[in-house]
Amino acid sequence: MMILRTFTGVLFLLFTSLTLAAALPVPRAPDVGAKGYILVDYHSGRVLAEQNADAQMEPASITKLMTAYVVFKELKGGKLSLSDMVTVSERAWRMEGSRMFIEVGKTVSVEDLLQGMIVSSGNDATVALAEHIAGSEETFAAYMNRYATELGLTYTHFRNSTGMPHSEHVTTARDIAKLSLALINEFPEYYKWYSQKSFTYNEITQSNRNKLLWRDNSVDGLKTGHTESAGYCLVTSAEREGMRLISVVLGTKSEEARASASQALLNYGFRFFETHKLYDGGVKITDTRVWKGAQESVSLGTQQPLYITIPRGRYNDLQANMQIQKTLIAPVEAGQRYGSIQLSMDGELIGEPDLVALEPVPEGGIWERMRDEALLYFE
């Protein structure tokens, strides 16, 4: 049980009836045979391990995560329906590589095409979706790049919807992790397809190429990729006891290598780290004085739930200190930053989330303003 108390801006964490495992030293991440990789906690966003995470590389079929993101946006915005029927073009039908085996001139539902793209990694299904939404794959790629910018995928640029090799079609392990976090967070209703082990269309059954779906019950996504130039790539998401990790492995030498590398990173993260929710979003953590306002105080909290990822067994070593703007003068805007929580361990700052006003405080009447003006003189 955790009891929170505030005193002169300091947040004290008092623990009662809490059994903690002995603190374990955190070793270096395992050495995996990949050109680049990253391991990230889903809730806190903390990077637990990385190597060449910002080096631009070919994503191969991992590209289809962004294709799916765009399609999901269209569905959520009401511009598209899962039951909409898509006419297969000759260009989509002729796509090389992984295929769903749709037929030119026939109509296929958006839902079937999505499963054909996500589970079977069908390039034909992917192009059919892109053309249906944007008219052409080239225009669809512009959509992809627009969303990449919105998501802060700094080193990513798309030239097609499938991941077919192109010198200007690049991304990074860090950018892929950001995209994966957004996809899981924004579209939980569609994320279920990434754990689907097989998909049957036109009496042809194909298995999901993510081997970890069979080996590790905690794994529920996301996507494989492979071309000769990109190597074997895998983005994996796994959840154990409420802690979710995302691993991105790029440029390994085989299907087995990408699966083993991803498994090693996930096991490392779950073994040596733990994630805790410290506060709910939009819930009062403290309050502070407001001068010249219609009310004398305002509640402060975090806009989103606040999670922290720390070495396993070190929860009681976590320290928190609140820094709040000294003099708040109305009007106060809801959502505006008026301070921060400084989270530290062993004297090192490990996080500093904003404290924001949870409600607006308008300017007070003439009496409140005159009174507080006088009181401020003596502060």
Side-chain angles (χ1 to χ4, degrees), residues 82-192:
L82 290 176
S83 60
D84 286 352
M85 301 304 292
V86 177
T87 302
V88 179
S89 71
E90 184 171 349
R91 185 172 186 274
W93 172 66
R94 288 187 179 277
M95 285 302 298
E96 299 177 351
S98 302
R99 301 177 65 196
M100 175 186 169
F101 299 105
I102 50 180
E103 299 175 63
V104 65
K106 297 245 180 122
T107 58
V108 186
S109 71
V110 168
E111 182 169 2
D112 279 344
L113 289 172
L114 274 169
Q115 291 180 79
M117 177 179 70
I118 291 169
V119 182
S120 307
S121 198
N123 290 333
D124 50 358
T126 305
V127 172
L129 285 167
E131 290 178 338
H132 182 71
I133 289 171
S136 72
E137 191 180 11
E138 292 73 21
T139 303
F140 187 84
Y143 267 83
M144 297 168 73
N145 288 322
R146 186 186 74 183
Y147 283 119
T149 299
E150 289 182 7
L151 291 170
L153 311 188
T154 310
Y155 302 107
T156 294
H157 184 76
F158 297 109
R159 290 300 300 264
N160 57 66
S161 62
T162 61
M164 295 297 283
H166 191 289
S167 60
E168 296 176 1
H169 190 93
V170 291
T171 188
T172 68
R174 193 182 312 279
D175 281 357
I176 293 169
K178 289 180 184 178
L179 172 58
S180 301
L181 292 171
L183 192 150
I184 297 171
N185 181 56
E186 294 184 40
F187 309 110
E189 67 272 38
Y190 305 127
Y191 178 65
K192 61 185 179 183

Side-chain angles (χ1 to χ4, degrees), residues 64-65 68-69 72 117-119 183 190-196 208 210 213 220-223:
K64 291 164 185 163
L65 290 178
Y69 185 88
F72 295 160
M117 177 179 70
I118 291 169
V119 182
L183 192 150
Y190 305 127
Y191 178 65
K192 61 185 179 183
W193 284 319
Y194 288 96
S195 63
Q196 191 169 314
N208 195 316
N210 185 355
L213 290 175
D220 56 16
L222 287 160
K223 190 73 189 74

